[in-house]
Amino acid sequence: MRIGIGNDHSAVEMKREVMKFLQDLGYEVINYGTDSTESCDYPVYGEKVGQAVASKEVDLGILICGTGVGISLAANKVKGIRAVVCSEPYSARLSRQHNNTNILALGARVVGIELAKMIIEEWLNAEFEGGRHQRRVDMIMDIENKER
Ligand code: RB5
């Protein structure tokens, strides 16, 4: 499985640790984020990883900024993306089982690396349950097809 990872300046260190963690678990990881701690704009990386997931260049995405909020908001503007920001494992698991999220966002200033690893593992190991949840996810995705 290929995972695309993206981050802004606030999350360079956590991104590196997360990449190693994922590679040790056997995932192929593609780095779309910045490797500089110089201030930059998180929407750039949210969009990059969003597009990589939407175009199936990668299977899933992980985004990290200070809070995980801005970068997930940006990714959610890409058609086909369901990005969730989580700071605990329960919502991360349910977000895949019920909402079929395809991007997980984390806040490097919110969670420590060990909690981040737990959240990531829970998210990656969960599977979409389909059934009634498929209908609801379809309803969400229909919103982006509506004319404005
Ligand atoms: C950058 O200072 C910070 O605003 C960004 O990393 C993120 O937290 C935005 O949501």
Side-chain angles (χ1 to χ4, degrees):
M1 184 189 284
R2 283 153 71 90
I3 299 178
I5 193 161
N7 62 286
D8 73 0
H9 57 280
S10 68
V12 174
E13 183 59 35
M14 181 174 277
K15 186 268 298 288
R16 286 194 188 128
E17 292 188 60
V18 167
M19 281 186 73
K20 183 173 181 330
F21 174 67
L22 292 170
Q23 284 158 348
D24 288 349
L25 287 173
Y27 293 99
E28 186 182 347
V29 188
I30 299 172
N31 180 14
Y32 297 90
T34 182
D35 287 300
S36 164
T37 52
E38 217 165 284
S39 183
C40 64
D41 299 324
Y42 58 79
V44 171
Y45 305 100
E47 184 179 5
K48 272 189 190 183
V49 172
Q51 281 172 349
V53 172
S55 68
K56 301 197 188 327
E57 201 169 290
V58 295
D59 301 293
L60 293 170
I62 294 181
L63 289 169
I64 320 174
C65 68
T67 59
V69 174
I71 206 160
S72 62
L73 289 175
N76 273 317
K77 296 295 178 188
V78 177
K79 200 168 181 176
I81 294 305
R82 291 175 301 281
V84 63
V85 54
C86 288
S87 49
E88 39 74 29
Y90 179 76
S91 303
R93 168 154 54 90
L94 268 289
S95 82
R96 282 208 82 197
Q97 291 176 335
H98 291 188
N99 316 113
N100 202 13
T101 50
N102 46 19
I103 292 185
L104 171 69
L106 298 163
R109 294 171 179 159
V110 180
V111 295
I113 183 62
E114 295 307 322
L115 182 54
K117 288 179 189 172
M118 285 177 74
I119 294 168
I120 290 168
E121 235 181 338
E122 198 76 9
W123 185 70
L124 287 173
N125 290 337
E127 277 179 32
F128 182 50
E129 290 174 359
R132 68 185 189 282
H133 302 298
Q134 183 65 63
R135 185 182 72 249
R136 293 165 185 163
V137 170
D138 288 345
M139 288 171 75
I140 295 172
M141 302 323 285
D142 281 348
I143 297 170
E144 68 187 12
N145 295 323
K146 282 184 188 160
E147 280 186 52
R148 279 150 223 261

